[in-house]
Amino acid sequence: MKPSLVEYLVCPICRKNFNIKITKKSKGEIMEGYLICINKHKFKITNGIPRFVTDATKDFVKTEDAFSSKWKIYHKSYHEKKWFEFQRNWFLERFQWETLESFNKFLLTKHNVLDAGTGLGNSANFLSTNKQSLVFAIDASESVNFAYKKYGGATNIHFLQADLRQLPFKKNFFDYVYSDQVLHHTKNTETSFKYLTKFLKKAGHISIYVYNKKAPIREFADDYIRSKTTKMSVNDCVEFSKDMTILGKSLSNLKRKITIPHDIKLLNIKAGTYDVQRFIYWHFLKCFWAEDGDFERSVGVNFDWYYPKFAYRHTPDEVRKWYRDTKIKITSFKEIESGISVTGKK
């Protein structure tokens, strides 16, 4: 933890300022210690990271354990350069930035940035290109440990283990809040979004991506399978996710297409020509297979869906309403099969 971080933090329970007790430092960074507010709420600093997660409810713990397990197993695959570049390019496409340069120009206007659900820290890295900015990268899972090891040396990134529903920051603090592929894994997507907007400055921007509602048979299959897989052990769900990956790979290897001549409205299937694997994937069964043939990452994507307790899906109308309710004007809105990407200005 960088010593300057404490000046930006408040107790997530009572909103009071912290005093810091340092028990170990290394190369100018605080590696071990405590943050203690005047009301005696106490939070540990371990391995250079302040730890603020206090929610001990079963379903929350189950969801965060899912991601902790995922990143422990697959962090190397997701830190590879090809995956970082894919994620960055996919972000630029979904949020309708024409070029990386135009997004970086946008970041020049943002001093305090919140990466709400940083995972392995790749997003924090590309949000930190403006070296005059401060990026506060949080995650409730132990993924933040791997993020810190990879990117903790950056002078303008602060990593914290924190729940995005109980943030250790003052309200109206951030110029940009970014929460990509995270909110739908919280207890309630809508209330989590609305909570984040309270930390946004006037004229600040917030970008989110949440799961889209799928075709009805896919939704039925997801609910049924997840009712079983969320109760599995980590190892059993990893094995199941491998089976789904092999199924996706086998379907992809067919290299066949299917043509649907007319819309089948009841099943939410539109007329068109589809690759067989993608047709089954979007309309009937989650069996992800990466086009670049990365087996480990594909297993991680399937596990990411089948193991977490929380994995909500939403409609575009729902998401638009969240922005209206919080008086945030939508500046970019894109719906694709997998999810809904939105940016708005307060």
Side-chain angles (χ1 to χ4, degrees):
M1 170 180 159
K2 299 173 180 66
S4 61
L5 175 57
V6 69
E7 68 184 89
Y8 302 107
L9 300 176
V10 295
C11 176
I13 298 173
C14 66
R15 320 303 302 167
K16 301 298 183 181
N17 291 333
F18 281 121
N19 290 313
I20 187 167
K21 180 180 179 181
I22 302 169
T23 58
K24 181 181 177 181
K25 291 184 75 172
S26 176
K27 298 179 181 179
E29 289 223 15
I30 302 165
M31 302 307 296
E32 309 287 337
Y34 297 92
L35 292 163
I36 308 167
C37 75
I38 60 172
N39 289 325
K40 306 302 181 183
H41 297 126
K42 187 176 182 180
F43 302 90
K44 288 183 178 181
I45 303 165
T46 60
N47 298 317
I49 302 169
R51 316 282 178 167
F52 294 103
V53 176
T54 59
D55 192 338
T57 56
K58 181 179 177 181
D59 289 346
F60 175 86
V61 172
K62 170 77 172 179
T63 298
E64 297 315 316
D65 282 351
F67 290 106
S68 295
S69 298
K70 173 186 174 179
W71 299 127
K72 283 178 184 177
I73 299 169
Y74 300 114
H75 64 275
K76 290 183 179 178
S77 293
Y78 285 81
H79 267 156
E80 289 180 357
K81 182 179 178 181
K82 66 177 181 180
W83 175 245
F84 173 83
E85 291 178 347
F86 167 79
Q87 281 288 81
R88 184 183 61 191
N89 292 336
W90 194 48
F91 160 78
L92 294 171
E93 178 186 337
R94 286 182 292 117
F95 289 97
Q96 299 177 304
W97 295 100
E98 292 182 2
T99 63
L100 179 60
E101 288 72 23
S102 61
F103 178 63
N104 287 340
K105 184 177 180 180
F106 166 81
L107 289 177
L108 290 175
T109 68
K110 306 302 179 188
H111 182 67
N112 295 331
V113 177
L114 176 64
D115 183 8
T118 192
L120 293 177
N122 290 335
S123 48
N125 186 42
F126 75 72
L127 289 169
S128 68
T129 54
N130 173 14
K131 299 309 177 185
Q132 304 307 310
S133 71
L134 295 173
V135 177
F136 299 83
I138 69 163
D139 207 286
S141 79
E142 292 180 16
S143 66
V144 73
N145 297 329
F146 298 105
Y148 180 83
K149 287 178 183 177
K150 179 74 172 179
Y151 300 114
T155 58
N156 65 331
I157 303 177
H158 295 291
F159 288 103
L160 308 88
Q161 188 169 14
D163 179 0
L164 64 75
R165 292 172 62 90
Q166 194 177 38
L167 292 174
F169 304 105
K170 295 178 181 178
K171 303 291 177 67
N172 308 307
F173 178 67
F174 293 103
D175 302 290
Y176 184 43
V177 173
Y178 171 78
S179 192
D180 190 9
Q181 307 171 67
V182 178
L183 290 171
H184 45 237
H185 289 307
T186 64
K187 290 181 176 179
N188 184 299
T189 315
E190 178 180 359
T191 58
S192 296
F193 168 77
K194 290 180 176 179
Y195 177 75
L196 283 181
T197 65
K198 295 177 181 180
F199 294 84
L200 196 61
K201 289 180 182 177
K202 182 68 176 175
H205 289 77
I206 181 169
S207 296
I208 68 169
Y209 170 97
V210 295
Y211 287 142
N212 202 353
K213 281 270 191 182
K214 309 300 189 296
I217 295 179
R218 164 71 195 269
E219 286 287 325
F220 177 83
D222 283 336
D223 287 342
Y224 173 77
I225 297 171
R226 280 179 35 78
S227 73
K228 311 293 184 183
T229 56
T230 57
K231 297 173 184 175
M232 289 179 176
S233 68
V234 169
N235 289 339
D236 285 347
C237 194
V238 167
E239 290 305 310
F240 176 77
S241 300
K242 288 180 180 177
D243 290 339
M244 291 296 97
T245 301
I246 292 168
L247 174 59
K249 179 181 179 181
S250 298
L251 290 168
S252 181
N253 286 344
L254 292 175
K255 300 189 183 303
R256 296 293 182 88
K257 296 187 180 297
I258 183 173
T259 297
I260 307 298
H262 307 289
D263 289 354
I264 307 175
K265 292 183 179 179
L266 184 61
L267 303 183
N268 198 22
I269 297 173
K270 295 181 179 179
T273 299
Y274 300 85
D275 172 83
V276 167
Q277 191 271 338
R278 302 312 282 173
F279 180 73
I280 291 174
Y281 178 79
W282 291 124
H283 300 99
F284 298 97
L285 183 69
K286 172 89 172 186
C287 51
F288 180 81
W289 174 247
E291 293 179 1
D292 63 3
D294 189 323
F295 184 81
E296 293 297 312
R297 181 163 58 80
S298 298
V299 176
V301 170
N302 286 316
F303 180 85
D304 184 62
W305 177 249
Y306 284 117
Y307 193 65
K309 180 64 177 179
F310 302 127
Y312 299 111
R313 289 85 78 189
H314 299 280
T315 66
D317 286 344
E318 285 180 285
V319 178
R320 290 182 188 276
K321 185 176 184 300
W322 303 343
Y323 276 76
R324 287 198 304 272
D325 289 348
T326 51
K327 296 181 170 55
I328 294 177
K329 183 180 179 181
I330 292 174
T331 57
S332 172
F333 191 101
K334 186 168 184 177
E335 177 190 5
I336 57 177
E337 291 97 334
S338 60
I340 302 161
S341 303
V342 195
T343 298
K345 182 178 181 180
K346 191 172 185 179

